[in-house]
Amino acid sequence: ASSDTHFASFSRMSYPSGLMGAWAPELTREAVWRAMDSRLVYGTTGARIFAEFFVNGHPMGSDVKVRGTPRLTGRVVGTGPLEKVEIVRFSKGRYNNAFAKSAKTEQLKFQFSDTSFVGSGFYYLRVTQEDGHLIWSSPIYIFR
């Protein structure tokens, strides 16, 4: 989500100004650095999309010990209509979608219990807007 593109020409870039969103309690240098160090961040392709993502009440970037079924919740507010909201799961050495919802609204709240999650792994949130802009959250690591 960095704007450091390593290209000499901005005309060749699909998303010339990626952004990082950080969950910080205040807008100070120290709070933003603490949020980055805690992985309380997500990336966008430039659109200022708002995203929250939790597993059993623990925010993106967390390491969570889970007994039983993981409960995933969150909220997305787009800068335009959302096309798709997905929760990507890594478990048993494979990536797949644990949850996917098509949406034609600018806002979506979700709640999902993943009864098929086994062992340890991680989840992350990925959102696509109708205009092609994306966000993806920091992973939430699950330990049994």
Side-chain angles (χ1 to χ4, degrees):
S2 172
S3 60
D4 181 4
T5 63
H6 301 281
F7 289 114
S9 169
F10 288 105
S11 64
R12 297 186 305 179
M13 297 170 13
S14 299
Y15 299 104
S17 57
L19 299 173
M20 179 195 71
W23 276 101
E26 58 190 7
L27 190 54
T28 64
R29 182 181 307 219
E30 294 78 19
V32 172
W33 278 109
R34 276 194 306 273
M36 289 180 0
D37 189 52
S38 300
R39 302 184 309 233
L40 291 167
V41 295
Y42 61 96
T44 83
T45 54
R48 295 178 183 269
I49 301 167
F50 170 87
E52 294 178 312
F53 179 47
F54 302 90
V55 173
N56 291 5
H58 298 273
M60 59 183 98
S62 296
D63 294 336
V64 182
K65 195 165 208 167
V66 175
R67 291 188 176 129
T69 303
R71 189 180 72 258
L72 298 89
T73 58
R75 180 170 63 125
V76 179
V77 179
T79 59
L82 303 173
E83 181 177 306
K84 188 171 22 173
V85 175
E86 301 167 285
I87 298 173
V88 178
R89 171 181 54 215
F90 182 81
S91 176
K92 295 164 89 174
R94 294 184 15 195
Y95 286 93
N96 55 36
N97 279 353
F99 172 88
K101 174 112 175 139
S102 294
K104 299 298 179 194
T105 64
E106 288 188 15
Q107 298 185 37
L108 181 73
K109 286 177 106 173
F110 60 86
Q111 183 172 333
F112 169 73
S113 293
D114 189 3
T115 57
S116 62
F117 188 84
V118 179
S120 297
F122 60 85
Y123 295 98
Y124 69 90
L125 177 67
R126 180 173 57 203
V127 178
T128 307
Q129 286 193 153
E130 285 184 353
D131 64 5
H133 278 286
L134 306 167
I135 72 109
W136 54 98
S137 73
S138 289
I140 300 176
Y141 295 92
I142 308 299
F143 300 94
R144 297 289 187 169

